[in-house]
Amino acid sequence: MPIGDFANQIPPVVFLAIHAVLFLIGAFFASRAFGAGQSGIAWAFVLFALAEVSYMTYHLDWTTFLFAHTISEVLDGLAFVLVFANAVQRVFRAEPALR
C-alpha cells in the first residue's frame, strides 16, 4: 500500500470543490491585481487559476492524472516565475534610499 492511499477513499467531488475554491481565489486576486494596475502579478494569478482548471479536468474524468498534473505544474511554475520577475523588477526600479 503506497503512502497516501487513504486519499483514494475521498470522493472526487471533494477534490473538485477544493480546486474550484482555489480557482475562485486565483480569479479574485487576478481581478484585484488587474484593477490595481499590477499586471505582472495579475497574470501570475491567472496562470494559477488556469492550473486549477487543469486539475479539475482530471476530477471530471476529461484527462488522465499525469496529463492534468503536468499541465498544472507548468502553469504554476510559470506563475512563480512571473511573481519572481515582478519582484526583481520592482527592486531594480526602486529609487536608492537616501543616506
Side-chain angles (χ1 to χ4, degrees):
M1 173 181 311
I3 296 173
D5 190 52
F6 68 91
N8 290 328
Q9 306 307 315
I10 301 171
V13 71
V14 172
F15 293 106
L16 191 58
I18 290 168
H19 291 297
V21 167
L22 290 171
F23 166 79
L24 291 172
I25 291 169
F28 172 76
F29 283 122
S31 174
R32 296 293 303 260
F34 276 123
Q38 302 296 318
S39 63
I41 297 296
W43 281 110
F45 280 118
V46 167
L47 290 172
F48 171 77
L50 289 174
E52 294 307 316
V53 170
S54 177
Y55 279 124
M56 285 189 274
T57 64
Y58 167 71
H59 298 293
L60 293 169
D61 280 334
W62 295 351
T63 61
T64 64
F65 176 78
L66 186 58
F67 180 78
H69 182 75
T70 302
I71 297 299
S72 297
E73 289 297 323
V74 168
L75 291 169
D76 283 335
L78 291 172
F80 179 79
V81 167
L82 279 178
V83 168
F84 181 75
N86 190 268
V88 169
Q89 186 179 37
R90 285 175 179 267
V91 168
F92 285 127
R93 266 200 234 155
E95 294 182 25
L98 296 175
R99 295 181 189 225

